[in-house]
Amino acid sequence: SHLTGSDGRKPFPCEIEANILKLVRRKQIWDCFKGSKTCNIGMNGFKSVGWHEKLAIRATKTTDRNTPASKSSSSRNRVMDDPEHTIESTSYSIFLKYEKSSADRISDAKRVLSKDCFDSWLASRYTMPRKPAESFRRALISHVAGCDGRKPFPKDVESSLLCELRKKKVWPCFKDTDQNIGIRGFQKLGYHEKQTRALI
């Protein structure tokens, strides 16, 4: 249940799940049951899919069906092999991992809209969203606007993100998919923008 994240059980971190799956998929009796005359658990090998494997497989469904198999496989393996993809990560912390600041503290948040950031965010979800792309958009925008109880980004990060979000083009993380999120550009105010307007 912990391997598959079922029955309300907390999934293992990605790298631990991968190591356990290598062991339980061997068609041999588990070491803890060796010597038992009545128990042959493990003899048929574990045939189900691990929790992180399910996330990775579902994530690839958002890509274009015409995407070469090698590219799709690469994306799936990247999600499964990244040890930072754990359920302990919050949306806010994941987004900030993909923001960089220069020596003079100028924020560059372009990578928050990258495929890597989307994959990392998706792998951190305790349960798979029904609409991953829309859930990602809503989480990010909520932090930008400081609404729905979400923690606002620092002012410089918000400003950098708004420059990207207001461009009328599909977000980089959804390029070559059937998603058109971003095509209209973000037209609302960021949290700090609203604060500034309120003072005028």
Side-chain angles (χ1 to χ4, degrees):
S1 294
H2 285 291
L3 273 178
T4 59
S6 57
D7 300 326
R9 302 281 183 168
K10 181 178 180 179
F12 290 114
C14 188
E15 71 276 15
I16 294 178
E17 174 189 301
N19 289 332
I20 294 176
L21 286 173
K22 289 178 182 178
L23 296 174
V24 298
R25 281 176 175 157
R26 297 173 183 173
K27 293 184 178 181
Q28 63 184 38
I29 295 176
W30 293 2
D31 289 347
C32 55
F33 299 124
K34 284 183 178 180
S36 173
K37 296 181 179 180
T38 59
C39 184
N40 64 350
I41 292 176
M43 202 64 188
N44 295 322
F46 184 71
K47 299 177 182 179
S48 299
V49 180
W51 188 77
H52 290 282
E53 287 182 326
K54 285 187 287 187
L55 282 183
I57 292 170
R58 290 175 182 176
T60 60
K61 291 181 181 180
T62 64
T63 60
D64 190 354
R65 293 181 180 180
N66 296 322
T67 301
S70 60
K71 181 178 179 181
S72 179
S73 176
S74 174
S75 175
R76 179 170 64 252
N77 291 336
R78 182 170 65 250
V79 174
M80 291 172 60
D81 295 340
D82 187 346
E84 291 187 353
H85 288 168
T86 63
I87 60 172
E88 285 79 11
S89 300
T90 64
S91 294
Y92 185 83
S93 64
I94 290 172
F95 293 148
L96 287 185
K97 283 182 182 178
Y98 290 86
E99 181 271 341
K100 290 185 177 181
S101 296
S102 62
D104 51 356
R105 298 185 178 181
I106 297 177
S107 175
D108 182 356
K110 289 181 181 178
R111 293 186 64 238
V112 175
L113 300 180
S114 68
K115 182 68 163 60
D116 284 343
C117 182
F118 173 68
D119 285 346
S120 181
W121 176 87
L122 189 62
S124 74
R125 301 302 88 193
Y126 187 77
T127 56
M128 183 67 181
R130 291 184 179 180
K131 297 180 179 180
E134 175 57 26
S135 295
F136 178 77
R137 183 202 69 80
R138 187 165 56 248
L140 179 58
I141 295 304
S142 293
H143 283 295
V144 170
C147 60
D148 300 328
R150 302 275 185 164
K151 181 180 180 179
F153 288 116
K155 190 173 182 178
D156 58 335
V157 177
E158 175 189 300
S159 180
S160 178
L161 264 174
L162 286 172
C163 287
E164 299 301 317
L165 294 172
R166 285 173 175 156
K167 295 177 181 178
K168 294 184 178 181
K169 65 177 184 180
V170 174
W171 292 2
C173 53
F174 302 129
K175 187 178 180 181
D176 298 324
T177 73
D178 58 357
Q179 300 292 332
N180 64 353
I181 292 175
I183 200 70
R184 296 182 179 179
F186 183 68
Q187 300 173 7
K188 297 182 180 180
L189 295 176
Y191 173 81
H192 294 285
E193 287 183 325
K194 287 185 287 187
Q195 296 296 309
T196 300
R197 291 278 184 93
L199 296 174
I200 299 176

